[in-house]
Amino acid sequence: MTETLSPAMARRIALAAQGFADRRPRTAVARRHLMSAIGRTGLLQIDSVNVVSRAHYLPLFSRLGPYPTALLDRAAQRRPRALFEYWAHEASLLPVALQPLMRWRMARAADGHGIYAGLARFGRERRGFVAEVLARVAAEGPLAASDIETAPGRSGWWEWGEAKRALEWLFWAGKVTTHARRASFERVYDLPERVLPEAVLGAPTPSADDAQRALVEIAARAHGVATASDLRDYFRLAPAETRARIAELVEDGVLVPVAVGGWQHPAYLHRAARLPRRIARNALLAPFDPVVWERNRCERLFGFRYRLEIYTPAERRVHGYYVLPFLMGDRLVARVDLKADRQAGTLRVRAAHGEATAPAATAPALRAELARMATWLGLERVAVAPHGDLAAALAAVPDPLDDAADDSSAGIAS
């Protein structure tokens, strides 16, 4: 018989799989904490938006609390490399051990499949130029597109200069990889053999089926419990390939078919999934956090309708420009539109909205988490604007950072 899970059980399983049943480190965050958290998520999505912090830094803050972002930079940009960039969910940071699992995608990209149509066409039509750019990286690298371009393009791949298109085609095809990111977030490219560990480069290349099966299992472990659509979305796999790999994992006993109350589609429980009695953590979640990045799953798990409104005209936004959901225990109870005003040393809450089911303790719990985030970002205060139905209650809670400043001043005066 198919096991049935309640929605509350599914939520706790999903949050435990993402590390929210674990305590935050009691000591200074070390590389082992960082890699353990990434081991749970499987990847970190990269995005250029920097309203609060770069997207790949935020999920680790949600799980670890204040941590030195230099730890992540070193893991991704210095030897020995622990992480590398490639197209996974979207542009992502992944553990280097997963590089062999991406080679089938690289091979398909080199053949013009699974890649932007315009970029595939460029690779076909400008093979000679692409080869010239690769030769320059080999001879001179690491190089960014701006080191090659005579007339740099603007944002959007369709406005890239020719060198940028060539480098991105080579990146998709696995001929180059990311050496580092400049302060402007510009990608600097180099040959994989000069970036990735020898043991990774020398690892056997699995078949496409074997690689996809491994990726589906990583997605299933990261989700705890998930539908086929959830599992497909995690690494952006094709539906038919995902269904085939799920069937194989069910046959092997890695995935267990289950039904979740209120879910329209069958679900699959990873055999290593945990069901904690409760989730006793609060956290602000980034728009690109794996817990919420698939909006349909977010609504299924939490009854929380969430949309990213960055590209929505300001007059049509409902909750704000860069909105972070607030997790309190196993519920999403509020959302805040945040901006790190570094010049003023202030974390600005431009709007705060509560869910209908938000408990009375939401405002003080959220205020404490905002103070923790501000400290991590190197900001001195939190300022709450009078927008949203939770704003007044949130503003009425004393800012813990003000108390800390008063204590510090008292200590100096004494």
Side-chain angles (χ1 to χ4, degrees), residues 195-327:
V195 174
L196 299 175
E198 290 184 13
V200 170
L201 293 170
T205 299
S207 68
D209 287 358
D210 288 345
Q212 292 161 8
R213 186 162 49 250
L215 293 173
V216 170
E217 183 180 357
I218 292 168
R221 186 185 294 270
H223 272 323
V225 60
T227 65
S229 177
D230 297 335
L231 297 175
R232 180 205 66 76
D233 175 74
Y234 213 80
F235 286 98
R236 296 291 202 251
L237 302 173
E241 292 171 333
T242 302
R243 287 193 295 270
R245 305 295 84 80
I246 288 173
E248 294 161 1
L249 290 167
V250 168
E251 185 175 352
D252 292 342
V254 177
L255 298 182
V256 179
V258 295
V260 178
W263 290 19
Q264 295 181 355
H265 300 287
Y268 302 90
L269 183 73
H270 191 277
R271 64 184 174 189
R274 293 185 297 150
L275 175 58
R277 292 180 61 188
R278 61 193 290 260
I279 301 292
R281 288 275 301 277
N282 300 334
L284 287 160
L285 302 179
F288 305 109
D289 191 291
V291 173
V292 298
W293 70 25
E294 210 295 300
R295 309 312 188 200
N296 291 328
R297 175 177 170 84
C298 177
E299 196 158 353
R300 259 186 283 119
L301 276 172
F302 301 101
F304 188 89
R305 191 177 188 277
Y306 181 44
R307 298 294 183 270
L308 187 62
E309 298 181 278
I310 288 175
Y311 304 108
T312 302
E315 66 276 9
R316 290 172 51 197
R317 291 180 193 137
V318 177
H319 295 109
Y321 181 79
Y322 198 76
V323 175
L324 280 68
F326 179 54
L327 177 72

Side-chain angles (χ1 to χ4, degrees), residues 15 18-25 37 41 44 55-67 279 281-292 324-327 369 372-373 376:
L15 289 167
Q18 285 285 320
F20 287 101
D22 303 335
R23 291 179 180 271
R24 284 174 169 148
T41 63
L44 298 172
H56 54 293
Y57 294 126
L58 286 165
L60 294 173
F61 168 76
S62 301
R63 289 152 180 79
L64 302 175
Y67 75 98
I279 301 292
R281 288 275 301 277
N282 300 334
L284 287 160
L285 302 179
F288 305 109
D289 191 291
V291 173
V292 298
L324 280 68
F326 179 54
L327 177 72
E369 199 61 28
R372 184 178 288 113
M373 174 175 278
W376 173 61

Side-chain angles (χ1 to χ4, degrees), residues 97-110:
L98 270 59
Q99 194 269 352
L101 301 182
M102 293 295 166
R103 293 176 190 166
W104 65 275
R105 180 167 282 171
M106 296 172 182
R108 289 186 181 181

Side-chain angles (χ1 to χ4, degrees), residues 23-353:
R23 291 179 180 271
R24 284 174 169 148
R26 295 183 176 181
T27 57
V29 176
R31 185 183 175 102
R32 69 180 186 279
H33 300 123
L34 184 94
M35 296 311 299
S36 176
I38 296 172
R40 287 194 178 278
T41 63
L43 54 83
L44 298 172
Q45 184 175 336
I46 299 169
D47 190 84
S48 61
V49 175
N50 193 19
V51 178
V52 176
S53 179
R54 298 288 186 194
H56 54 293
Y57 294 126
L58 286 165
L60 294 173
F61 168 76
S62 301
R63 289 152 180 79
L64 302 175
Y67 75 98
T69 57
L71 276 178
L72 183 57
D73 294 338
R74 284 197 292 271
Q77 301 183 26
R78 297 185 190 175
R79 295 181 179 178
R81 306 272 179 149
L83 304 169
F84 79 107
E85 286 190 24
Y86 193 61
W87 292 97
H89 180 74
E90 291 287 340
S92 304
L93 280 172
L94 304 103
V96 291
L98 270 59
Q99 194 269 352
L101 301 182
M102 293 295 166
R103 293 176 190 166
W104 65 275
R105 180 167 282 171
M106 296 172 182
R108 289 186 181 181
D111 288 336
H113 303 297
I115 187 173
Y116 300 139
L119 198 56
R121 184 169 58 254
F122 182 88
R124 288 193 306 271
E125 296 175 353
R126 301 298 306 278
R127 289 182 184 277
F129 178 70
V130 171
E132 290 175 13
V133 171
L134 179 58
R136 280 200 62 177
V137 173
E140 305 173 32
L143 292 175
S146 61
D147 298 324
I148 302 174
E149 299 281 13
T150 56
R154 293 169 289 172
S155 62
W157 79 262
W158 55 92
E159 294 178 323
W160 287 346
E162 290 194 341
K164 177 63 174 177
R165 295 191 191 193
L167 286 165
E168 283 299 304
W169 186 93
L170 290 164
F171 180 80
W172 269 101
K175 307 297 183 184
V176 299
T177 191
T178 302
H179 167 81
R181 291 271 186 173
R182 291 180 176 167
S184 62
F185 209 58
E186 184 182 20
R187 181 182 279 145
V188 180
Y189 305 82
D190 204 353
L191 301 180
E193 53 266 36
R194 295 200 293 238
V195 174
L196 299 175
E198 290 184 13
V200 170
L201 293 170
T205 299
S207 68
D209 287 358
D210 288 345
Q212 292 161 8
R213 186 162 49 250
L215 293 173
V216 170
E217 183 180 357
I218 292 168
R221 186 185 294 270
H223 272 323
V225 60
T227 65
S229 177
D230 297 335
L231 297 175
R232 180 205 66 76
D233 175 74
Y234 213 80
F235 286 98
R236 296 291 202 251
L237 302 173
E241 292 171 333
T242 302
R243 287 193 295 270
R245 305 295 84 80
I246 288 173
E248 294 161 1
L249 290 167
V250 168
E251 185 175 352
D252 292 342
V254 177
L255 298 182
V256 179
V258 295
V260 178
W263 290 19
Q264 295 181 355
H265 300 287
Y268 302 90
L269 183 73
H270 191 277
R271 64 184 174 189
R274 293 185 297 150
L275 175 58
R277 292 180 61 188
R278 61 193 290 260
I279 301 292
R281 288 275 301 277
N282 300 334
L284 287 160
L285 302 179
F288 305 109
D289 191 291
V291 173
V292 298
W293 70 25
E294 210 295 300
R295 309 312 188 200
N296 291 328
R297 175 177 170 84
C298 177
E299 196 158 353
R300 259 186 283 119
L301 276 172
F302 301 101
F304 188 89
R305 191 177 188 277
Y306 181 44
R307 298 294 183 270
L308 187 62
E309 298 181 278
I310 288 175
Y311 304 108
T312 302
E315 66 276 9
R316 290 172 51 197
R317 291 180 193 137
V318 177
H319 295 109
Y321 181 79
Y322 198 76
V323 175
L324 280 68
F326 179 54
L327 177 72
M328 189 174 177
D330 69 346
R331 295 278 190 171
L332 293 177
V333 298
R335 63 190 92 201
V336 283
D337 180 20
L338 298 183
K339 177 180 174 59
D341 184 346
R342 293 173 176 84
Q343 186 172 0
T346 301
L347 179 61
R348 300 198 179 278
V349 183
R350 298 187 290 191
H353 294 85

